[in-house]
Amino acid sequence: MKIVVCVKQVPDSAAAIVVEDGKVNWGDAPIVINPWDEYAVEAALQLTEKYGGDVVALSMGGDKAKEALKHALAMGCSEAILINDPELAEMDASGAAKVLAAGIQKVGDVEMAIFGKQAIDNDTGVTPAMTARVLGWPMISLISAVENIADGSIKAKRFMEEGNQIFESKLPAVASIVKDYSDPRYPSFMGIRKASRAEIPNLTAGDLGISKPENKVKWFGVDNPPVRDITNEKIEGETPEEIAANLVSKIMEEKVL
Amino acid sequence: MDFQLSEEHRMAQKMVRDFAAKEVIPVIQEWDSKQEMAPHFLPRMGELGIMGINIPVKYGGQGFDYITLGLVCEELEYADSSLRVVMSVHMGLNSMAVLQWGTEDQKQRFLVPQAKGEKVAAFGLTEPDAGSDVAAMTATAVKDGNEYILNGEKMWISLATKADHTLVVCRTDMNADKPTSGMTAFMVENARDGVTSGDIHGKLGVRAGSTGWVNMQDVRIPEENRIGEEGEGFKISMSCLDNGRYTVAAGATGLIKASLDASVKYAQERKTFGVQIAEHQLIQQKIAHMHRDHEMAQLLYLKAGWKKNLGERNTRETSLAKWFATEASFNAASEAVQIHGAYGYSDEYPVERFLRNSKGAVIYEGTNEIHQLVQAAYAFGWRKDRPLRKELPAFDPDVWQE
Ligand SMILES: Cc1cc2nc3c(=O)[nH]c(=O)nc-3n(C[C@H](O)[C@H](O)[C@H](O)COP(=O)(O)OP(=O)(O)OC[C@H]3O[C@@H](n4cnc5c(N)ncnc54)[C@H](O)[C@@H]3O)c2cc1C
């Protein structure tokens, strides 16, 4: 079974992000593999460990995106491909989906394309579904476990707020993975060595036989969240009862209740 | 001159940092209070390959270089000194000695399982009445046919109760001209009859680690367990220290960083006199010192690691790195407590643990007084490194990864 796992390079989740002139500035934040995508890589590796096959990591982005791919290789993916073309910069999710779908088709004979549930930079969470649409494959989202893969179909569990849903789908399909699937493994030292030596091929729009998809969504600007003015005050008192009474009168005074 | 770490270095560093952040930092306070080593630490370090990081692949290791060993130690001690101590004794003082001095048979029997993390290794030099003055040791090994019979007590031994193999140094020749030329090194399997061990409780620091005594009473070991020649024990133990001290230096560098990070965070949370304490210049000065010391300590240990990679003798550089980094980490931890005020004095914050842990490293692997004597002796030209019968092999990626 051949699985493509799509990974994205994003600023570290602890990074302080600021908005300047309507544009997001990551500053010198460390760039890491999107944390949700680590779960996707883990799921893909576990599936090929169980059912056989290879995992190809696919990313779209500039040279920096190679780090996300190298992380995926160090975790155990057998191959990595980067779609790196300045022509394809600044795309919306539907554009990204078209490009990724072309990448998945270029790999060929893919039975599953696996994504993280969302990317922590834009947080739209729609790229997997849009990619499924472009490919014409079923979209199986928010997978927390795979029960079985046999005879060209997959039986899996979806994690939803209301509970779990067990379903079956035909393959090939696009899946997105949630945290409950399994903790992602650390890269192994052997994997690190392999990854650091790997030459990752760069594909352009031309190589994929596509032209730049037109953006459907326009970003007019991004704002910083409003600054919140917070003051802390410690409610004191001799006894717990007195502290509670002081707290209640403070709440009434501030008209919180 | 190139100050860049390779991609391989950076990825290995991040991998160990992630392991420490996920599996050590969240639980370390609890184990430190219990004065016990968390049962999962050693098995996890073994499974992940950390315990064989810089040993050639053909001997069960991961085939990385000596610089990676330093980076790993820095990341481990960022979380807790007890994890770096594992690398100091298991790798620096024991496994690397087998790599350097061991026969092919010894590498197969000891190094392979140690590098795979299947066996844990320790180092027994110190005795109740012999620390800095190694020559004062009294443990003996007497030849009896094809065996040696070992007697004596080793004290302050890290991983005393966790280790499967302990590299011990004993006296074999009571009539040697100099006591140091009558010592011999042996690999003792702790499961052998006559070996007993126990942990010391009530230590100031490294409480989540094991430090104890190893007693040997008529312990018979085969001649094949002798590391190096008879009479070579002192030289071997000093070469072990070149590697152990390197791990201590790198680890102390991580402890400075941990103190710095905790202090930077707290100084921007705590307010006094209407402003964040970060705005007080005296606090800024402490932060500046910590940052300076972190950079300097790192440069010193990386230089020693670079010399190791080249196969060059590094006793002087390693001693300097160990002296500087451990002293600086003690100061950094102390200032980190100061920045935290009374909160730093409680175990609500990790900085009191950093301070307690940092004190050990200015004592073990050569007290810092001894390192100053060593540095002065080099400066005066009184001390010169003579070639060893077997040098630590230079790092050669082709050989190490075959
Ligand atoms: C946590 C911990 C773990 C350890 N792990 C190990 C281990 O795994 N294996 C092992 O073999 N040992 C280990 N040790 C022992 C350690 O190496 C010794 O404690 C150290 O060598 C110092 O010896 P000592 O304690 O006997 O002090 P002493 O040698 O008695 O020194 C006492 C004081 O006198 C000073 N002093 C001694 N000689 C001189 C001199 N010539 N000039 C000036 N000052 C001098 C010292 O610097 C020190 O301040 C460990 C110790 C600790 C605390």
Side-chain angles (χ1 to χ4, degrees), chain A residues 175-189:
Chain A
S176 69
I177 301 293
V178 294
K179 234 172 146 167
D180 302 65
Y181 196 99
S182 173
D183 272 345
R185 66 195 67 187
Y186 305 110
S188 69
F189 289 117

Side-chain angles (χ1 to χ4, degrees), chain A residues 32 38 67 70-71 74 184 186-190 192-193 195-197, chain B residues 7-8 11-12 15 19 23 44 48-50 53 57 62-64 401:
Chain A
V32 298
E38 287 188 64
E67 295 207 12
K70 292 213 159 174
H71 188 93
Y186 305 110
S188 69
F189 289 117
M190 296 295 176
I192 286 173
R193 190 152 57 238
S196 70
R197 290 180 184 170
Chain B
E7 187 166 26
E8 207 171 284
M11 288 176 88
M15 180 267 188
F19 157 69
E23 300 186 31
R44 283 297 282 152
L48 294 172
I50 297 174
I53 183 71
V57 173
Q62 302 294 332
F64 280 61
Q401 293 158 13

Side-chain angles (χ1 to χ4, degrees), chain A residues 141-164:
Chain A
S141 62
L142 310 178
I143 303 299
S144 59
V146 169
E147 296 198 347
N148 196 26
I149 293 181
D151 308 324
S153 69
I154 179 169
K155 190 171 176 196
K157 188 151 93 175
R158 294 185 67 221
F159 177 86
M160 299 179 302
E161 258 176 40
E162 300 79 4
N164 290 320

Side-chain angles (χ1 to χ4, degrees), chain B residues 207-241:
Chain B
R207 290 187 163 193
S210 140
T211 319
W213 50 268
V214 178
N215 190 284
M216 299 175 293
Q217 202 134 44
D218 294 327
V219 179
R220 285 184 168 271
I221 60 165
E223 201 175 24
E224 295 78 50
N225 280 25
R226 189 187 69 219
I227 306 288
E229 305 289 334
E230 260 194 34
E232 231 174 11
F234 184 76
K235 282 198 182 120
I236 292 177
S237 58
M238 292 303 120
S239 77
C240 290
L241 289 169

Side-chain angles (χ1 to χ4, degrees), chain B residues 89 123 125-126 131-132 156-158 211 363-365 367 369 373:
Chain B
V89 299
F123 177 75
L125 183 66
T126 308
S132 308
W156 292 107
I157 306 309
S158 303
T211 319
I363 297 173
Y364 50 68
E365 305 239 15
T367 65
E369 287 78 10
L373 298 180

Side-chain angles (χ1 to χ4, degrees), chain A residues 90-161:
Chain A
E90 310 262 331
M91 258 183 318
D92 63 11
S94 76
K98 287 186 184 124
V99 177
L100 289 172
I104 291 163
Q105 271 157 346
K106 174 95 185 167
V107 171
D109 294 331
V110 175
E111 279 193 80
M112 273 182 96
I114 303 188
F115 288 72
K117 93 180 184 41
Q118 65 201 75
I120 62 161
D121 52 354
N122 291 337
D123 274 328
T124 61
V126 296
T127 310
M130 287 179 157
T131 307
R133 167 131 203 265
V134 179
L135 289 165
W137 295 358
M139 174 66 209
I140 52 178
S141 62
L142 310 178
I143 303 299
S144 59
V146 169
E147 296 198 347
N148 196 26
I149 293 181
D151 308 324
S153 69
I154 179 169
K155 190 171 176 196
K157 188 151 93 175
R158 294 185 67 221
F159 177 86
M160 299 179 302
E161 258 176 40

